Amino acid sequence: EVQLVESGGGLVQPGRSLRLSCAASGFKFDDYAMHWVRQAPGKGPEWVSGISWNSGKIDYADFVEGRFTISRDNAKNSLSLQMNGLRADDTALYYCTNGYTAWGQGTLVTVSS
Amino acid sequence: EIVMTQSPVTLSVSPGERATLSCRASQSVTTNLAWYQQRPGQPPRLLIYDASARATGVPARFSGSGSRTEFTLTISSLQSEDFGVYYCQQYHNWPPLTFGQGTKVDIK
């Protein structure tokens, strides 16, 4: 069974950091690019960042503005997102996905003082 | 960036009737197109990928068609559990992955 399990979300003050993790199983992880997609309350899904299968291609949405870093470890079937300088408008459910066939349940990030 | 545009914004359909949702891409995505259903408080549920392939466990009443820039999701006989917001998404080219703005399906 294909499974993606996110962790690391929580309540954090503006300007602080969080590190999200995603554990993959049930599919050949290193066959796929992987992505983080977020969804703010009442809004549609929004792409945050993506990384190619071998980490050779990495990119971010414009709103990231150098604050986030995506990485993967194919030996551990894991994906991460280091988020620094968090802002209130980063509040959202963050999903790990291979871009179409596999999605996690999401981890909630709330940025508030 | 490939812009995805869905229509209509809202669709009210009686149980048993057919529902047709449309999605247009600003440039060709070949058949790299997925459809998702999302109910309140739930993550997106993959229905269709590669424009017309049904995901595991998805009922046969859901079907997808189209290629390049024009796509359709059809629910042949709407059931009460089919309410929610439906999104199309292209994975042909990133950055970024892009989503339509959604079609809300109400049960009449």
Side-chain angles (χ1 to χ4, degrees):
Chain A
E1 179 193 3
V2 171
Q3 202 166 18
L4 292 171
V5 179
E6 302 94 338
S7 60
L11 172 63
V12 64
Q13 293 178 327
R16 304 301 289 260
S17 300
L18 275 178
R19 185 177 182 86
L20 306 184
S21 298
C22 172
S25 61
F27 67 103
K28 198 167 186 308
F29 183 72
D30 55 8
D31 270 358
Y32 292 89
M34 294 296 297
H35 303 269
W36 289 97
V37 170
R38 71 184 187 183
Q39 190 167 25
K43 303 292 187 183
E46 176 181 50
W47 180 80
V48 175
S49 180
I51 184 169
S52 64
W53 70 275
N54 64 352
S55 304
K57 174 182 175 182
I58 289 175
D59 222 313
Y60 302 92
D62 289 344
F63 60 77
V64 169
E65 297 177 340
R67 301 178 296 133
F68 298 174
T69 302
I70 191 172
S71 60
R72 68 188 293 162
D73 185 337
N74 288 342
K76 296 182 178 178
N77 288 350
S78 68
L79 178 73
S80 297
L81 185 69
Q82 177 66 43
M83 302 190 296
N84 300 329
L86 283 162
R87 309 187 299 223
D89 60 1
D90 293 318
T91 294
L93 258 173
Y94 284 72
Y95 296 103
C96 165
T97 174
N98 69 357
Y100 57 125
T101 55
W103 285 71
Q105 292 290 308
T107 187
L108 181 62
V109 173
T110 304
V111 185
S112 175
S113 54
Chain B
E1 173 176 329
I2 300 175
V3 177
M4 308 301 292
T5 304
Q6 291 184 241
S7 61
V9 173
T10 304
L11 190 61
S12 293
V13 184
S14 298
E17 287 188 343
R18 184 185 200 87
T20 302
L21 290 68
S22 296
C23 175
R24 174 174 292 176
S26 61
Q27 63 190 78
S28 175
V29 299
T30 63
T31 55
N32 297 144
L33 189 285
W35 288 96
Y36 302 89
Q37 175 196 54
Q38 190 170 34
R39 298 187 188 125
Q42 298 290 320
R45 172 197 180 197
L46 177 68
L47 300 174
I48 301 288
Y49 64 97
D50 291 348
S52 60
R54 234 181 337 264
T56 303
V58 174
R61 64 180 181 273
F62 291 93
S63 63
S65 64
S67 65
R68 296 182 55 82
T69 61
E70 299 285 342
F71 301 90
T72 300
L73 175 71
T74 302
I75 311 172
S76 60
S77 177
L78 198 82
Q79 305 297 303
S80 58
E81 63 266 29
D82 296 336
F83 75 92
V85 180
Y86 289 76
Y87 295 100
C88 64
Q89 176 230 323
Q90 67 81 20
Y91 48 92
H92 179 68
N93 211 357
W94 65 275
L97 298 178
T98 48
F99 298 81
Q101 81 279 19
T103 292
K104 184 177 181 181
V105 174
D106 286 329
I107 308 300
K108 195 183 286 185

